[in-house]
Amino acid sequence: MKEDFPTRATIEQALVRLRPHVQLTPVLTSGSLNKIADAELFFKCENFQRTGSFKMRGAVNAVFSLSDEAAAKGVATHSSGNHGQAVAKAAQLRHIPAYVVMPENAPRIKVRGVEAAGGTVIFCQPTLQARQETLDKIVQKTGAEFIPPYNDYRTIAGQATCAYELLEQVEGLDFIIAPCGGGGLLSGTALAAHYFSPSTAVLGAEPKNADDAHQSFYAGYIIPSNNPSTIADGLRTSLGDKTFAIIRNYVQDILTTSEENIVLAMRFIWERLKIVIEPSCAVPLAALLENRPEYLQGKRIGIILTGGNVDLDDFFARYYQEFVLDN
Amino acid sequence: MKEDFPTRATIEQALVRLRPHVQLTPVLTSGSLNKIADAELFFKCENFQRTGSFKMRGAVNAVFSLSDEAAAKGVATHSSGNHGQAVAKAAQLRHIPAYVVMPENAPRIKVRGVEAAGGTVIFCQPTLQARQETLDKIVQKTGAEFIPPYNDYRTIAGQATCAYELLEQVEGLDFIIAPCGGGGLLSGTALAAHYFSPSTAVLGAEPKNADDAHQSFYAGYIIPSNNPSTIADGLRTSLGDKTFAIIRNYVQDILTTSEENIVLAMRFIWERLKIVIEPSCAVPLAALLENRPEYLQGKRIGIILTGGNVDLDDFFARYYQEFVLDN
C-alpha cells in the first residue's frame, strides 16, 4: 500500500498546478504568544487563502488534474463546510459546473460561499446516508466527477503544498502542527515534511470530543467518531483509509484538547494576531498549551491556521443593535 | 505659521527613529472588495502594529526624541484609547515611567493594554475638565513630559511614517484615505504625500455623527464636536489648531458616513480580509461606499486601517456559553 502514497514529484506537480490559482499565504508571529507557549510559533495563515481556507488547495489540484473531457461534465462533492466553497471556486476557475450537496443545517456563511462561487447547492437531510444518496444521484445524472474532501490522493497532494510553502518561508522548523478532521491536511503535511524537510516532525491536533484520529493512531486501526459534538466544526469528520495509512507512517503523535481550551486559544489568536480564524484553526495552539509536551519547549513550531470562515451574523447583529438602532 | 509644519527631513528623521521599534505593517488587498468599491484598494494594516494601532508611531517618535534628562522623569498623557497603550509601550522600550490618565468608563481592553505595557493608569471622571486637571497634577508632581495624542508635531511626524511606508509599498497610488479624529494621522498622511508623492491626493473620512473636521474644513475655522456619539470611538475627538492648519493646506476633501455604513464596512473587512479591525478603521471604506465620488472610480486607493483593539469579551462569552457550558 505504501508505494501508492503521493510522491515527491506528485506534490511538486501539484505546486505548479496550483500556483496561478491560490494565494501564497503569509506567516505571522507574535512575541506575546511565543511567551505564552514557551516556543517560537509561526502561523501559516490559510484563513487568507482564496475561499477562506486551505481546502482551495486540494480542490484546485483535483479539478485541474481532470482531462478536458471529464472536466466538461463538471464536478460534484458533499460538504457542510469549506470544501464545498473550494470545489465551487476551483470549478469556476476552470469554467465548469460544480454541484455541492449540503445538509439543510449547514452554516449560512458556507452556503453563501458556495453560491458566491457559482456552485449549485443541493440540500439533503443531515445524515451520512442522505448525503451519499443525494451525491450518487447527481453524479449519475450529470456524469460529474466526485471530488472527495480528504480521502483522495489528488486532494492530499494539493493540501500538502501548504506545508511545502511554510517550509520554504520559515527555515529550520522543528515541528509543524496541523489540525486533523478527515486527515487530508495532516497527511499532506506529513508527506511534505518527509520529502522536503526530514528534520521537521509533524504532529496532529484534535478536539477531545472528536478524537478518532488519536484513538485510531494508538489502536492501529480506524476507530471512527460517532456524531461528535465539538465547536471545531471542521474536525468532526473521521479519518479515511488513505489518510490513516499516511498518518500512521509519517506523523509523530496526535494531541487532543478540550472545548474550553479551543475557545481560549481562538481568543488568543484573534486578540494577539488580529486575525479572524475558525474554531478548528485554534485546535493546534490549544493542544500545545494544554499538553505542553517537554519536547516542544523552546522549539520552532509551524502552526497551520486552516480557515477564516466564521459566521459573524450574531456578532454584527449585536453591534448593529447597540450602535445603530439604540442611538 | 505654515513654515512650522514638520518638514520632509523631520519625517525622515522620525522614520529612522521608529524603525527599530515599530512593525513594517503589511498591505492587504481583496478582489471582492475591489468589485464592491469599483476601485483598486490597498489596505495598510496598522491593526498589526505593536500595541495594535498606528498610535505607536507618534508615541515612539515623541518619546525617543526627548533628551535623556527629560526622559528620566517619565512621560504622561491622557487617553481613553490606543494612544495610552502606545505611550506606555514606547516608555517601556525606553525604560522610563509612563502615567496614563484614563476616564473611568474607558474600554477594558484599552486599560489592560496600558497595564500590560507597564504603564501606570490614573482614573478620572469622564469629562474634559477632570482629565486635564488630573494630568496637570501628575505632570506637576513627577515632572513627566506630556505626550499629546495628536496636536503635536512630534506625534504628527511619527504618524506620517505610516503613509510614507504605504507609498513605498504600493506604487502609483492616486489617493490615500485616512480616518480623522483629532487629525494627527490625517495631517501626517497629507504631509507624507505632499513631500514624497505629490501626485497622491489625500482624503479624510469621518462619521457624520462626529463631523467636526468636515465642518471646520468648509467653514475655514475650527468647529469642535460637542460630545459626539459614534461607534467609531477613536474618532470622537475634535481637531487641534496644528492638525487643522495642515489639513486645510494639504487635504483634498473630508467625506462623512453614517453609523449604519460604518458597521457594514467593518463587517466587509472582517469577512473579506479576515482581519480584526476597530470600528474607526472602517470609516474610510464606509465613506467611500456611501459617497462614491466619481473621481475615485477605478483609481488606486490606499486606505489606512488604524487599529485592531476591539473588545471581544461579549463575542467570546457567547461562544463559551454556546459551545462549552451548554454542551
Side-chain angles (χ1 to χ4, degrees), chain A residues 260 267 274 309 313 320, chain B residues 260 267 274 309 313 320:
Chain A
E260 191 169 344
R267 179 167 188 164
K274 309 292 181 194
N309 295 328
D313 280 357
Y320 197 78
Chain B
E260 192 167 344
R267 180 168 188 162
K274 309 293 181 194
N309 295 327
D313 280 357
Y320 196 79

Side-chain angles (χ1 to χ4, degrees), chain A residues 85-262:
Chain A
Q85 294 183 64
V87 169
K89 187 73 191 175
Q92 189 183 47
L93 290 170
R94 205 172 168 180
H95 308 292
I96 60 175
Y99 309 96
V100 181
V101 175
M102 302 186 92
E104 295 155 352
N105 61 356
R108 288 157 291 181
I109 183 172
K110 315 268 178 174
V111 177
R112 283 198 299 261
V114 172
E115 291 172 343
T120 303
V121 176
I122 301 101
F123 287 105
C124 69
Q125 299 279 319
T127 67
L128 288 182
Q129 201 197 336
R131 189 180 79 175
Q132 195 57 52
E133 285 175 8
T134 312
L135 179 70
D136 289 347
K137 265 189 226 155
I138 295 284
V139 167
Q140 215 169 2
K141 195 174 131 192
T142 62
E145 170 88 8
F146 171 42
I147 310 288
Y150 51 89
N151 203 40
D152 180 288
Y153 288 142
R154 298 165 300 180
T155 305
I156 292 170
Q159 296 179 353
T161 62
C162 177
Y164 180 96
E165 274 179 23
L166 173 60
L167 289 164
E168 279 205 326
Q169 289 168 300
V170 184
E171 275 179 34
L173 281 182
D174 301 302
F175 292 88
I176 299 178
I177 315 182
C180 184
L185 179 69
L186 180 57
S187 55
T189 302
L191 288 178
H194 171 68
Y195 294 132
F196 304 106
S197 178
S199 63
T200 305
V202 171
L203 300 171
E206 243 185 356
K208 272 203 181 74
N209 285 2
D211 67 344
D212 67 290
H214 176 85
Q215 288 197 34
S216 307
F217 188 78
Y218 282 98
Y221 55 91
I222 295 182
I223 304 176
S225 286
N226 185 12
N227 213 2
S229 161
T230 169
I231 186 179
D233 55 340
L235 309 181
R236 289 178 192 147
T237 336
S238 297
L239 294 178
D241 62 337
K242 294 187 172 65
T243 57
F244 178 58
I246 297 172
I247 288 168
R248 273 190 80 182
N249 273 284
Y250 296 116
V251 168
Q252 176 177 315
D253 199 359
I254 292 174
L255 308 175
T256 64
T257 184
S258 70
E259 297 298 296
E260 191 169 344
N261 282 327
I262 297 171

Side-chain angles (χ1 to χ4, degrees), chain B residues 225-239:
Chain B
S225 286
N226 185 13
N227 215 2
S229 161
T230 169
I231 188 179
D233 56 340
L235 308 182
R236 287 176 194 150
T237 336
S238 297
L239 295 178

Side-chain angles (χ1 to χ4, degrees), chain B residues 41 49 51 61 73 112 144 159 162 165 176 179 188 231 240 247 283 297 310:
Chain B
L41 306 181
Q49 188 50 268
T51 72
N61 192 44
K73 293 178 188 149
R112 283 199 299 261
Q159 295 179 354
C162 177
E165 275 178 24
I176 300 178
I231 188 179
I247 288 167
V283 170
Q297 247 177 44
V310 186

Side-chain angles (χ1 to χ4, degrees), chain B residues 156-208:
Chain B
I156 292 169
Q159 295 179 354
T161 61
C162 177
Y164 180 96
E165 275 178 24
L166 173 59
L167 289 163
E168 280 205 325
Q169 290 168 300
V170 185
E171 274 179 35
L173 281 183
D174 300 302
F175 292 89
I176 300 178
I177 315 182
C180 184
L185 179 69
L186 180 57
S187 54
T189 302
L191 287 178
H194 171 68
Y195 294 133
F196 304 106
S197 179
S199 63
T200 305
V202 171
L203 300 172
E206 245 185 355
K208 272 203 183 73

Side-chain angles (χ1 to χ4, degrees), chain B:
Chain B
M1 168 116 198
K2 203 166 160 187
E3 55 269 30
D4 275 6
F5 295 167
T7 62
R8 192 185 171 97
T10 311
I11 295 172
E12 284 168 342
Q13 281 156 18
L15 263 166
V16 173
R17 203 175 276 133
L18 261 67
R19 201 129 280 171
H21 305 297
V22 308
Q23 291 276 344
L24 174 61
T25 53
V27 174
L28 295 181
T29 60
S30 155
S32 67
L33 286 180
N34 287 351
K35 261 186 223 159
I36 292 168
D38 190 16
E40 269 188 277
L41 306 181
F42 299 89
F43 294 93
K44 174 70 170 165
C45 293
E46 288 290 298
N47 58 322
F48 294 147
Q49 188 50 268
R50 288 182 89 172
T51 72
S53 92
F54 77 99
K55 292 280 188 182
M56 189 64 182
R57 296 175 183 269
V60 166
N61 192 44
V63 166
F64 280 83
S65 62
L66 294 175
S67 70
D68 285 349
E69 197 188 358
K73 293 178 188 149
V75 288
T77 198
H78 52 71
S79 170
S80 57
N82 291 325
H83 177 63
Q85 296 183 64
V87 168
K89 188 71 191 177
Q92 189 184 47
L93 291 170
R94 202 171 170 181
H95 308 292
I96 61 174
Y99 309 97
V100 181
V101 176
M102 301 186 92
E104 295 155 354
N105 60 356
R108 289 158 289 184
I109 185 175
K110 314 269 177 170
V111 176
R112 283 199 299 261
V114 172
E115 291 172 343
T120 304
V121 175
I122 302 102
F123 287 106
C124 70
Q125 300 278 321
T127 67
L128 287 181
Q129 201 196 338
R131 189 181 78 173
Q132 194 57 51
E133 285 175 7
T134 312
L135 179 69
D136 289 347
K137 265 190 224 154
I138 297 283
V139 167
Q140 216 170 3
K141 194 173 132 194
T142 61
E145 171 89 8
F146 172 41
I147 309 288
Y150 52 89
N151 202 41
D152 180 290
Y153 288 142
R154 297 166 301 182
T155 306
I156 292 169
Q159 295 179 354
T161 61
C162 177
Y164 180 96
E165 275 178 24
L166 173 59
L167 289 163
E168 280 205 325
Q169 290 168 300
V170 185
E171 274 179 35
L173 281 183
D174 300 302
F175 292 89
I176 300 178
I177 315 182
C180 184
L185 179 69
L186 180 57
S187 54
T189 302
L191 287 178
H194 171 68
Y195 294 133
F196 304 106
S197 179
S199 63
T200 305
V202 171
L203 300 172
E206 245 185 355
K208 272 203 183 73
N209 285 2
D211 67 346
D212 67 290
H214 176 84
Q215 288 198 33
S216 307
F217 188 77
Y218 282 97
Y221 55 90
I222 296 182
I223 303 175
S225 286
N226 185 13
N227 215 2
S229 161
T230 169
I231 188 179
D233 56 340
L235 308 182
R236 287 176 194 150
T237 336
S238 297
L239 295 178
D241 60 337
K242 293 187 172 66
T243 54
F244 178 57
I246 297 171
I247 288 167
R248 273 190 80 182
N249 273 284
Y250 297 115
V251 168
Q252 175 176 317
D253 199 358
I254 293 174
L255 308 174
T256 64
T257 183
S258 70
E259 297 299 296
E260 192 167 344
N261 282 327
I262 297 171
V263 175
L264 192 67
M266 182 174 167
R267 180 168 188 162
F268 276 144
I269 293 172
W270 283 49
E271 287 193 345
R272 312 286 166 133
L273 292 180
K274 309 293 181 194
I275 61 176
V276 173
I277 57 154
E278 300 183 31
S280 305
C281 302
V283 170
L285 180 62
L288 193 166
L289 297 178
E290 181 172 320
N291 295 281
R292 296 185 173 277
E294 231 170 83
Y295 58 82
L296 291 182
Q297 247 177 44
K299 297 297 183 189
R300 290 166 69 81
I301 304 173
I303 287 183
I304 301 182
L305 297 179
T306 46
N309 295 327
V310 186
D311 196 325
L312 296 168
D313 280 357
D314 291 338
F315 180 71
F316 280 99
R318 186 184 65 77
Y319 248 78
Y320 196 79
Q321 177 70 40
E322 192 174 333
F323 290 99
V324 180
L325 299 182
D326 293 355
N327 275 291

